[in-house]
């Protein structure tokens, strides 16, 4: 049997002019980087105007994310493109503001709450299969997984399906926003002076305002339902009624709009990306697909206990997060001057953490570019899972939805493969590019047939 490699974007030539780099960067940050980043421990982008450092060494990644996160706050540059949409949400804040927000949000995502959210996830998985049921011919699966992941978020957060009118409008609004505003743009690497006006592509601000108005409607309705003692026991109610243990206060309505916006965005774009790539990988590796489909019979049991039986599915999903980390890069900022690997890192330097490169690091992983879900049961895989695997980031700012996503992802993957066989479509191999998350340039196409 032939073993194709999972798609990897071409690297750029080793030396290019700054001008050319900027141009490549605008197209796609993944292919704008040289191949040596898959071997480097640390790299510096030095230009006449700015400095940034890519950190690619396990103990340095640990230093930034786990040991001294307060000295490397979130970069305010990365926040710029997202501010119109996300306001003062937990994704963008730093310091005391951020700490208070996490104290209120974290309890909603504790293990016990996942079990409560599970029936809503299952309902979304079933609805996804029902939507696929009628499809003939090649299917662009990213669109389907976006739909499914958005459905999961609406059902778990607000107890409404994607067919709900407001939910549907928020969903399409986000889709347009993602097209108009790449997560990482050059501004993230180029410190712009404070006084310089910030430009957004036409429509971005208006689009953001529309999405926020819709979300405000949902949160206002929920506030009223909570007041009347008639609110469903879902994530929104939990978050809106949790008091900060230190100050005793809850989120006010405006703050809640910011938080809901980030849950929609962080919670559906990422999961949709990972699910789409995992389905594509299953089409490429039918022997794994068969194992997974057989295992999926465990879902006959409708209870939460079935999740723990989806072992192959979880290994496949984890391997997908390694090869196609939905958030390919993260940016922090050095609060003060630092000395890292004998390099002087000036205050204000942009520190780039790249799950994309770390997860394929040639000096750390066995068979770094190969698809091998079995690796997670072997020594090298276990070691790397601890040191060089950060799809959800790590430390204090780790993704609040990590546990949620590791239930949702395998559940949706298994539910879909239990019903359908997937195959690649000839001449339509996907090319990974980084939009808001890692997507395929021209979609991910699959041929589905019922099992
Ligand atoms: C496969 C799915 C997911 C992946 C790969 C993922 C990845 C990430 C990453 C890498 C970060 C850190 C970003 C940074 O530091 O710059 C993050 C933060 C966050 N994620 Fe996720 N995420 C996923 C699903 C979810 C879900 C389902 C939710 C909520 C329902 C969620 C909510 C958040 C929030 C609120 C933050 C901000 C945390 C903070 O800054 O304190 N994510 N996610």
């Amino acid at each position: 049997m032939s073993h194709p490699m999972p798609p990897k974007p071409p690297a750029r030539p080793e030396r290019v002019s700054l001008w050319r780099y900027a141009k490549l960067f605008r197209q796609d940050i993944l292919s704008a980087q040289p191949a040596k980043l898959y071997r480097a421990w640390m790299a510096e982008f030095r230009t006449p105007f700015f400095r940034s450092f890519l950190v690619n060494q396990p103990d340095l990644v640990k230093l930034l994310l786990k040991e001294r996160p307060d000295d490397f706050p979130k970069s305010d540059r990365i926040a710029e493109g997202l501010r119109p949409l996300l306001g003062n949400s937990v994704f963008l804040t730093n310091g005391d503001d951020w700490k208070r927000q996490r104290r209120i949000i974290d309890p909603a995502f504790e293990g016990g709450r996942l079990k409560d959210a599970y029936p809503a996830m299952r309902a979304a998985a079933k609805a996804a299969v029902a939507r696929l049921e009628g499809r003939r011919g090649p299917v662009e699966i990213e669109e389907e997984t976006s739909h499914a992941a958005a459905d999961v978020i609406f059902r778990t957060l607000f107890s409404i399906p994607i067919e709900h009118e407001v939910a549907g409008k928020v969903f399409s609004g986000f889709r347009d926003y993602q097209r108009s505003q790449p997560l990482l743009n050059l501004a993230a690497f180029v410190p712009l002076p404070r006084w310089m006006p910030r430009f957004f592509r036409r429509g971005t601000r208006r689009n953001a305002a529309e999405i926020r108005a819709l979300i405000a409607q949902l949160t206002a309705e929920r506030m009223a339902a909570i007041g009347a003692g008639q609110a469903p026991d879902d994530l929104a109610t939990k978050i809106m009624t949790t008091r900060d243990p230190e100050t005793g206060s809850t989120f006010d309505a405006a703050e809640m709009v910011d938080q809901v916006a980030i849950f929609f965005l962080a919670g559906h774009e990422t999961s949709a990306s990972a699910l789409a790539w995992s389905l594509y990988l299953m089409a490429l590796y039918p022997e794994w697909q068969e194992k997974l489909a057989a295992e999926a019979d465990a879902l006959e049991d409708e209870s939460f206990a079935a999740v723990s039986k989806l072992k192959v599915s979880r290994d496949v999903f984890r391997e997908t997060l390694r090869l196609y980390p939905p958030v390919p890069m993260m940016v922090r900022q050095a609060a003060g001057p630092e000395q890292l690997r004998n390099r002087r890192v000036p205050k204000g330097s942009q520190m780039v953490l790249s799950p994309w490169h770390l997860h394929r690091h040639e000096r750390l992983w066995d068979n770094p570019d190969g698809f091998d879900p079995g690796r997670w049961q072997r020594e090298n895989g276990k070691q790397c899972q601890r040191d060089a695997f950060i799809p959800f980031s790590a430390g204090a700012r780790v993704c609040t939805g990590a546990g949620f996503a590791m239930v949702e992802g395998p559940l949706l993957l298994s539910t879909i493969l239990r019903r359908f066989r997937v195959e690649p479509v000839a001449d339509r191999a996907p090319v990974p590019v980084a939009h808001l998350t890692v997507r395929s340039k021209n979609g991910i196409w699959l041929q589905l047939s019922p099992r």
Side-chain angles (χ1 to χ4, degrees), residues 74 90-91 98 102 109 153 262-263 266-267 270-271 274 317 321 326-327 330-332 390-393 396-402 404-405 408:
K74 275 224 164 162
V90 66
F91 195 80
W98 168 78
R102 285 290 295 238
F109 289 92
I153 290 293
I262 187 58
F263 292 141
T270 47
S271 292
F317 196 70
L321 292 174
V327 180
M330 298 175 271
V331 187
R332 298 292 189 266
I390 50 168
F392 299 108
S393 183
R397 279 209 99 126
V398 68
C399 172
T400 49
F404 184 102
E408 175 196 11

Side-chain angles (χ1 to χ4, degrees), residues 226-252:
I226 292 171
Q230 288 169 346
D233 182 24
D234 52 21
L235 289 177
T237 298
K238 174 75 183 162
I239 293 167
M240 290 169 81
T241 55
T242 298
R243 290 185 183 282
D244 173 3
E246 287 188 16
T247 65
S249 66
T250 54
F251 283 143
D252 62 31

Side-chain angles (χ1 to χ4, degrees), residues 101-424:
Q101 294 175 344
R102 285 290 295 238
R103 286 196 298 270
I104 295 177
I105 290 167
D106 284 354
F109 289 92
E110 278 164 7
R113 301 292 304 188
L114 275 180
K115 193 174 163 191
D116 298 340
Y118 185 68
M121 282 187 196
R122 250 193 94 99
K126 278 196 183 139
V129 165
R131 270 192 305 272
L132 289 169
E133 213 66 74
R135 304 293 302 271
R136 298 273 173 280
V139 174
E140 200 289 287
I141 206 73
E142 280 186 334
E143 197 162 326
E144 300 294 331
T145 59
S146 283
H147 206 137
D151 196 23
V152 170
I153 290 293
F154 284 112
R155 286 177 194 259
T156 52
L157 202 58
F158 279 109
S159 304
I160 52 176
I162 185 85
E163 287 78 21
H164 184 282
E165 192 194 341
V166 180
K169 280 189 191 158
V170 173
F171 175 50
S172 54
F174 269 108
R175 200 168 40 194
D176 297 344
Y177 195 87
Q178 122 126 350
R179 287 193 186 131
S180 77
Q181 184 59 48
L183 177 57
L184 284 156
N185 46 33
L186 198 58
F189 288 67
V190 189
L192 298 172
R194 290 261 159 257
W195 47 263
M196 200 183 260
R198 304 298 192 253
F199 297 104
F200 293 100
R201 278 183 214 176
R202 200 167 5 166
T204 299
R205 278 184 199 281
R206 194 187 57 229
N207 184 224
E210 283 166 10
I211 296 172
R212 291 181 59 89
L214 291 163
I215 293 175
Q217 186 185 334
L218 289 176
T219 52
E221 282 169 12
R222 179 53 59 90
M223 274 298 188
I226 292 171
Q230 288 169 346
D233 182 24
D234 52 21
L235 289 177
T237 298
K238 174 75 183 162
I239 293 167
M240 290 169 81
T241 55
T242 298
R243 290 185 183 282
D244 173 3
E246 287 188 16
T247 65
S249 66
T250 54
F251 283 143
D252 62 31
E255 273 181 309
M256 190 59 194
V257 173
D258 293 345
Q259 309 308 347
V260 171
I262 187 58
F263 292 141
F264 280 133
L265 191 68
H268 101 263
E269 281 298 327
T270 47
S271 292
S273 155
L275 184 58
W277 284 107
S278 63
L279 285 164
Y280 178 73
L281 287 166
M282 291 299 85
L284 271 193
Y285 303 98
E287 67 279 23
W288 282 99
Q289 182 178 167
E290 290 311 310
K291 279 187 215 180
L292 207 155
E295 175 190 78
D297 284 341
L299 289 172
E300 200 64 45
D301 170 7
E302 303 230 336
S303 78
F304 188 58
V307 173
S308 64
K309 300 194 184 119
L310 305 178
K311 293 195 167 65
V312 182
S313 188
R314 211 158 31 244
D315 281 348
V316 164
F317 196 70
R318 194 169 278 136
E319 184 70 343
T320 309
L321 292 174
R322 183 182 73 82
L323 287 168
Y324 303 100
V327 180
M329 292 184 202
M330 298 175 271
V331 187
R332 298 292 189 266
Q333 194 161 305
E338 300 282 346
Q339 189 80 23
L340 301 175
R341 271 190 76 88
N342 292 326
R343 284 183 208 242
R344 208 174 60 77
V345 173
K347 175 180 172 179
S349 295
Q350 301 293 294
M351 310 301 295
V352 182
L353 296 136
S354 176
W356 182 274
H357 292 97
L358 189 64
H359 291 180
R360 293 170 181 257
H361 204 287
E362 292 165 9
R363 299 201 227 169
L364 297 170
W365 297 86
D366 291 344
N367 188 15
D369 290 331
F371 176 75
D372 177 12
R375 75 170 72 243
W376 304 106
Q377 305 306 329
R378 295 194 298 270
E379 198 40 49
N380 175 259
K382 286 182 183 167
Q383 177 79 32
C384 284
Q385 187 176 352
R386 286 189 294 272
D387 295 343
F389 185 64
I390 50 168
F392 299 108
S393 183
R397 279 209 99 126
V398 68
C399 172
T400 49
F404 184 102
M406 287 307 296
V407 172
E408 175 196 11
L411 171 67
L412 266 76
L413 179 62
S414 295
T415 306
I416 293 170
L417 292 180
R418 193 174 175 216
R419 175 70 186 117
F420 300 102
R421 180 171 288 113
V422 294
E423 286 167 294

